[in-house]
């Protein structure tokens, strides 16, 4: 399963081994938490919204990493900065809309969403530290 996800990420431009390992860990963590949350949604909604928070972080990380891995970072360019700002601004706008729908319309617990974002960042940092410490992908 790991090789399948790695091949999928490779085809989408995640050629750097450490970034690919972090993206893989984020995708596995988010999909497992969302799967458990969807399975127990009828009894308890907190795990689902926790997974949604983790998905928000994974989506932001993977989008930013995908853009920066494709960009040529040999020299500063105004086009690079403008593209990064536009993509980040668009992603931030979509995240705000999603959070509005989750918090206001669906009455999601804010602690669950925040916990998911924090857990996603801990998974990303922990994976990066383990891959960097181990010295391989």
């Amino acid at each position: 399963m790991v090789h399948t996800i790695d091949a999928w990420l490779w085809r989408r431009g995640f050629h750097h081994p450490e970034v690919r390992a972090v993206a893989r860990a984020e995708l596995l963590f988010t999909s497992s938490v969302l799967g458990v949350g969807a399975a127990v949604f009828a009894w308890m909604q907190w795990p689902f919204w926790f997974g949604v928070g983790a998905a928000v972080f994974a989506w932001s990380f993977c989008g930013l990493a995908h853009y920066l891995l494709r960009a040529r970072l040999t020299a500063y360019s105004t086009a690079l900065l403008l593209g990064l700002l536009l993509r980040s601004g668009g992603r931030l706008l979509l995240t705000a809309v999603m959070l509005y729908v989750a918090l206001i319309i669906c009455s999601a617990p804010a602690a669950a969403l925040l916990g998911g974002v924090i857990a996603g960042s801990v998974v990303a940092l922990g994976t990066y530290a383990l891959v960097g410490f181990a010295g391989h992908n």
Side-chain angles (χ1 to χ4, degrees):
M1 184 163 137
V2 170
H3 296 297
T4 305
I5 295 171
D6 275 348
W8 184 78
L9 287 169
W10 181 270
R11 286 191 304 270
R12 274 143 190 83
F14 288 83
H15 299 296
H16 194 277
E18 291 168 342
V19 176
R20 190 172 58 248
V22 173
R24 177 187 352 115
E26 283 296 320
L27 291 174
L28 288 172
F29 174 71
T30 301
S31 62
S32 63
V33 171
L34 276 175
V36 168
V40 301
F41 188 76
W43 299 282
M44 176 184 345
Q45 295 180 0
W46 209 90
F48 175 75
W49 293 113
F50 183 86
V52 169
V56 165
F57 181 82
W59 178 57
S60 297
F61 173 80
C62 288
L64 181 64
H66 184 258
Y67 177 71
L68 290 176
L69 286 173
R70 285 186 11 206
R72 295 196 175 247
L73 300 176
T74 55
Y76 172 75
S77 158
T78 312
L80 175 71
L81 179 62
L82 183 61
L84 183 64
L85 289 175
L86 286 175
R87 288 177 185 267
S88 298
R91 191 171 289 110
L92 188 61
L93 179 65
L94 287 174
T95 301
V97 169
M98 190 276 314
L99 288 176
Y100 175 80
V101 169
L103 291 170
I104 304 302
I105 296 173
C106 297
S107 300
L113 291 168
L114 181 62
V117 171
I118 291 171
S121 63
V122 167
V123 166
L125 290 172
T127 303
Y128 183 73
L130 285 175
V131 169
F133 180 73
H136 60 80
N137 57 359

